[in-house]
């Protein structure tokens, strides 16, 4: 990796700089993708294409294949059209939510509580996860493109694991949100979780390994890890901070409804370079992942990056229903 692309995922370094060779690859992908309808054109900013290139080690064919699959998915799934009222029932226990604080580098924070799962619907859980991811991206500052995950394992046990939801979660995150994870804090994971990480770690690139932090309340280094990333006065007490207000579904619902109102405005103005618009509706089959490849794309890699390895080997992050918890995201695809 070139020097101007090196960045630390945990210290909040800003967007990577793009050199001439890399910009040429971005332009080549634009040519291969072709003209797009407005929303997808907005999605395909230079920064977005660069994320797909980084996820595939700047291999144009592989990145184009990955991006085409995402464009087809977005055209069909329409993640930007999900609104709070559609997913509110999934949020009642606070199993996933965007915190009202950011880290010291301005990155949005998603709090996840696996033991607070309240739904057995795979479709509903994935829909809510996508809503949360889109909302977290909506609220990123202009100089950031990654987020922080705070994963609280309090009350978690093996009964919470759902392999079906985990597989679907891994697919969505690794295929459609590449290079979006800045750092993941695993807070008080149970001992039986450690073997999963031991097996997964050798298959991850060093930069991805560095994004995962294990934090334990009985570890003297815990406070330093959290203090390095957060203002302790704003951090929730569940993560060693001084804010004990907790999750309030009513306040959160009000906040999400207000943020939903800001979504349409973004999708009607493009920050992407002007491109010719198709004169008729876009055929989803035109996003066939192999359409522009002259040969078969080799998908094998010795390592995986970002959410790919992190999620697929950590089934504990996605869980079955539980009654342990009770009810007590401007969009910048730069």
């Amino acid at each position: 990796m070139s020097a101007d692309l090196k960045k630390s995922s945990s210290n909040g370094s800003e967007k990577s700089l793009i050199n001439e060779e890399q910009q040429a690859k971005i332009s080549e992908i634009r040519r291969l993708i072709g003209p797009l309808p407005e929303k997808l054109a907005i999605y395909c900013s230079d920064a977005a294409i660069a994320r797909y290139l980084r996820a595939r080690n700047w291999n144009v064919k592989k990145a184009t294949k990955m991006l085409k699959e995402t464009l087809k998915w977005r055209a069909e799934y329409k993640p930007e059209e999900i609104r709070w009222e559609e997913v509110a029932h999934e949020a009642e226990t606070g199993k996933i939510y965007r915190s009202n604080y950011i880290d010291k580098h301005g990155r949005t924070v998603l709090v996840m509580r696996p033991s607070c799962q309240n739904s057995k619907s795979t479709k509903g859980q994935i829909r809510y996860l996508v809503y949360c991811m889109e909302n977290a991206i909506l609220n990123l500052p202009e100089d950031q493109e990654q987020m922080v995950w705070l994963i609280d394992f309090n009350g978690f046990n093996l009964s919470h694991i759902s392999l079906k939801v985990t597989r679907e979660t891994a697919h969505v995150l690794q295929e459609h949100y590449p290079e979006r994870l800045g750092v993941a804090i695993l807070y008080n994971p149970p001992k039986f979780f450690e073997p999963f990480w031991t097996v997964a770690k050798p298959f991850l690139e060093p930069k991805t390994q560095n994004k995962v932090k294990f934090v334990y309340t009985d570890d003297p280094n815990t406070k330093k890890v959290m203090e390095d990333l957060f203002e302790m006065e704003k951090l929730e007490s569940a993560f060693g901070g001084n804010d004990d207000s907790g999750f309030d579904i009513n306040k959160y619902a009000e906040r999400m409804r207000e943020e939903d109102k800001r979504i349409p405005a973004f999708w009607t103005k493009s920050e992407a370079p002007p491109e010719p618009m198709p004169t008729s509706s876009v055929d989803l089959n035109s996003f066939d992942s192999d359409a522009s490849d002259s040969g078969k794309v080799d998908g094998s890699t010795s390592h995986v990056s970002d959410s790919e390895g992190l999620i697929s080997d950590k089934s504990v992050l996605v869980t079955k229903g539980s009654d342990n918890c009770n009810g007590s995201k401007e969009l910048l695809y730069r």
Side-chain angles (χ1 to χ4, degrees), residues 8 106 110 132 224 249 294:
S8 169
L110 279 185
C132 291
K224 175 172 173 44
I249 184 59
S294 58

Side-chain angles (χ1 to χ4, degrees), residues 136-295:
I137 294 168
L138 291 174
N139 287 276
L140 285 170
E142 188 173 355
D143 61 349
Q144 286 288 357
E145 55 184 359
Q146 296 183 324
M147 65 188 73
V148 176
W149 293 352
L150 273 179
I151 308 168
D152 182 5
F153 283 93
N154 181 47
F156 178 82
N157 58 59
L158 284 172
S159 70
H160 296 124
I161 297 175
S162 171
L163 296 179
K164 180 181 179 180
V165 179
T166 297
R167 284 194 296 269
E168 183 63 21
T169 297
H171 173 75
V172 170
L173 293 179
Q174 72 184 20
E175 297 300 329
H176 305 315
Y177 294 96
E179 298 289 320
R180 282 300 192 183
L181 177 63
V183 58
I185 302 291
L186 278 56
Y187 203 80
N188 283 331
K191 294 299 181 183
F192 64 77
F193 182 83
E194 294 182 2
F196 287 97
W197 176 243
T198 301
V199 172
K201 190 173 181 179
F203 296 96
L204 304 178
E205 294 185 25
K207 68 171 185 176
T208 305
Q209 295 178 19
N210 292 335
K211 293 181 179 182
V212 182
K213 307 293 182 183
F214 283 74
V215 174
Y216 300 91
T217 53
D218 58 358
D219 186 331
N221 293 320
T222 290
K223 192 170 184 179
K224 175 172 173 44
V225 171
M226 302 307 281
E227 285 179 342
D228 286 346
L229 279 173
F230 301 100
E231 298 291 345
M232 301 307 286
E233 289 298 319
K234 299 178 181 179
L235 183 66
E236 297 171 56
S237 57
F239 297 105
N242 300 326
D243 184 357
D244 57 3
S245 58
F247 176 78
D248 185 318
I249 184 59
N250 294 319
K251 291 181 179 179
Y252 191 68
E254 181 179 356
R255 184 170 145 216
M256 292 299 102
R257 290 190 189 101
E258 287 301 310
E259 294 191 5
D260 281 357
K261 295 177 182 178
R262 295 156 45 197
I263 298 175
F266 175 84
W267 291 106
T268 56
K269 63 176 183 177
S270 176
E271 294 179 0
E275 297 190 36
M277 296 298 294
T279 57
S280 60
S281 59
V282 174
D283 181 3
L284 293 181
N285 291 327
S286 68
F287 293 137
D288 186 329
S289 60
D290 294 319
S292 66
D293 294 345
S294 58

Side-chain angles (χ1 to χ4, degrees), residues 96-110:
I96 308 178
Y97 59 92
R98 203 193 90 239
S99 69
N100 58 6
Y101 52 88
I102 55 179
D103 78 344
K104 289 183 177 180
H105 310 287
R107 297 177 293 190
T108 52
V109 178
L110 279 185

